[in-house]
Amino acid sequence: MPWYAVEALDDAIETTKAFLLPFELRTWLKLAVIVLFLGGTSTSPPGANFQFGGGGGTGGGTGTPPPNIPFSNDTLTAVAIAVVAVVVSIWLVLTFIGSFMEFAFVESLRSREVHVRSYIRRYFGQGVRLFGFRVVLLTLLLLPIAGFLLIFVPSLLDGSADVALGSLFVFVPVMLVLGLVVALIDGLTTNFVVPVMLLRGDGVLAGWRTFWPTLRSQWKQYGMYVVLRFALSIAAGIVVGIVGGILSLFVLIPFAILGIGLYVLLGNPAFNTVVSLTPLGALFGLLALFGFLSLLFVLAVVRVPIQTYLRYFALLVLGDTNRQLDLIPELREEIR
């Protein structure tokens, strides 16, 4: 029995070269914009729900006195809620944009023509459905986290160490299993259900109903795909870390020089008497923000060929296991 995922390893290189070469700067820049937001679509929880009941009364249980904490439970709760709200809000915004970019990326790979705005308009409804599906997956992770914290944090603050440790020992394996299941569902949805949705114009659940018979009948093939995809992800992370780290130095050096110059000027009393600190402080903040965004974009450019390869790898496996769901039949015939 041929292993389609193994055969697709080399074929994905050829499809990637056929798509990205000859090099066109405009194409790579548009792909970098798409890939930049693909990095924010993971359903791993961006934070934990730290909402727990206040009241720092003396604890029972073991009789151990509660730890001396300089802030009240209500203050800690308010700070935790604020932090989690900000993190979750950022995650929602990035995931919302990334859900549309998924379709823009797959359509670019299928048609070998990169357009961002037109593809987003074309697949807007499906992008909204994908976003809703990912929010549901995130909720499946946040609910047990919230339940755990409702038990763990008050027990810890009240000195009930046995209860806190017991809940921790139950929570860790449950979250490990649940996290793996959610990650698997999210990965299969992104790499296989999204192309099916794009091909048939379906929603997420309809896409899963279409893809499920293929997954069930070819489970060994997709099992091999998951194993290889995991290994490729590790290798890709190493490559991005090395190449992106080297390029990041060249990107950040000019910003670092300007930042040091501004810092020296801000510390010069003679200069401060002439120029107000407020505009310079704002300029320093904008410089740091622009440097950070430039770094993210450089890393996105590095990830363009990697993400292209990984997604073509999935599309080749999908077409090999079910010809009716093949998005790239012409390209497949060209490289084979």
Side-chain angles (χ1 to χ4, degrees):
M1 178 184 68
W3 291 102
Y4 299 136
V6 176
E7 295 177 352
L9 289 173
D10 292 334
D11 293 338
I13 297 177
E14 298 302 320
T15 54
T16 301
K17 290 165 59 178
F19 177 58
L20 296 178
L21 299 178
F23 176 82
E24 293 184 5
L25 180 60
R26 183 181 178 86
T27 298
W28 276 66
L29 292 179
K30 289 191 290 186
L31 285 171
V33 173
I34 295 175
V35 170
L36 176 63
F37 289 99
L38 293 183
T41 60
S42 172
T43 54
S44 299
N49 189 344
F50 286 90
Q51 300 182 23
F52 51 86
T58 58
T62 61
T64 305
N68 184 18
I69 298 177
F71 305 103
S72 65
N73 289 356
D74 292 339
T75 301
L76 292 175
T77 301
V79 172
I81 291 175
V83 171
V84 171
V86 171
V87 173
V88 172
S89 298
I90 294 174
W91 183 92
L92 288 174
V93 172
L94 294 178
T95 302
F96 184 75
I97 299 174
S99 297
F100 302 111
M101 293 302 184
E102 291 289 350
F103 292 94
F105 191 46
V106 174
E107 181 59 40
S108 298
L109 298 181
R110 179 173 75 159
S111 64
R112 288 190 275 183
E113 295 182 3
V114 184
H115 305 286
V116 180
R117 288 177 296 180
S118 61
Y119 291 161
I120 290 177
R121 287 194 297 266
R122 183 185 305 177
Y123 300 107
F124 183 83
Q126 292 173 304
V128 172
R129 295 184 182 95
L130 179 62
F131 170 71
F133 182 80
R134 286 174 165 168
V135 170
V136 171
L137 290 181
L138 175 66
T139 303
L140 292 177
L141 290 177
L142 290 182
L143 286 178
I145 292 175
F148 162 73
L149 292 174
L150 286 172
I151 299 174
F152 180 80
V153 176
S155 301
L156 193 64
L157 294 177
D158 293 340
S160 303
D162 293 341
V163 176
L165 289 177
S167 62
L168 181 62
F169 286 136
V170 173
F171 172 76
V172 171
V174 169
M175 282 304 300
L176 180 61
V177 174
L178 182 60
L180 289 175
V181 172
V182 169
L184 180 61
I185 294 174
D186 181 55
L188 292 175
T189 301
T190 299
N191 291 285
F192 298 109
V193 176
V194 166
V196 172
M197 293 170 61
L198 186 146
L199 182 65
R200 298 173 59 90
D202 293 332
V204 181
L205 297 182
W208 261 106
R209 284 194 294 268
T210 302
F211 172 64
W212 178 253
T214 301
L215 176 62
R216 185 178 57 186
S217 62
Q218 302 282 348
W219 64 272
K220 293 182 181 179
Q221 299 286 354
Y222 284 97
M224 176 61 70
Y225 165 82
V226 170
V227 173
L228 293 177
R229 182 65 166 78
F230 179 75
L232 289 172
S233 297
I234 296 176
I238 295 174
V239 172
V240 172
I242 296 175
V243 178
I246 295 174
L247 294 178
S248 299
L249 291 177
F250 292 98
V251 172
L252 294 179
I253 285 175
F255 293 101
I257 294 174
L258 291 175
I260 293 173
L262 284 176
Y263 179 79
V264 172
L265 291 177
L266 290 173
N268 190 334
F271 185 81
N272 293 340
T273 58
V274 179
V275 180
S276 172
L277 291 177
T278 302
L280 283 178
L283 180 60
F284 189 84
L286 289 175
L287 183 65
L289 177 62
F290 189 71
F292 177 71
L293 294 177
S294 300
L295 175 61
L296 290 181
F297 191 76
V298 167
L299 293 178
V301 173
V302 174
R303 291 173 57 227
V304 164
I306 295 175
Q307 287 294 328
T308 301
Y309 172 82
L310 293 176
R311 199 59 62 91
Y312 268 134
F313 175 56
L315 292 178
L316 288 167
V317 173
L318 178 62
D320 283 334
T321 55
N322 189 335
R323 295 295 182 182
Q324 295 181 347
L325 301 179
D326 190 4
L327 271 72
I328 51 172
E330 296 84 2
L331 183 57
R332 183 190 305 274
E333 182 179 353
E334 177 182 325
I335 64 170
R336 289 180 175 175

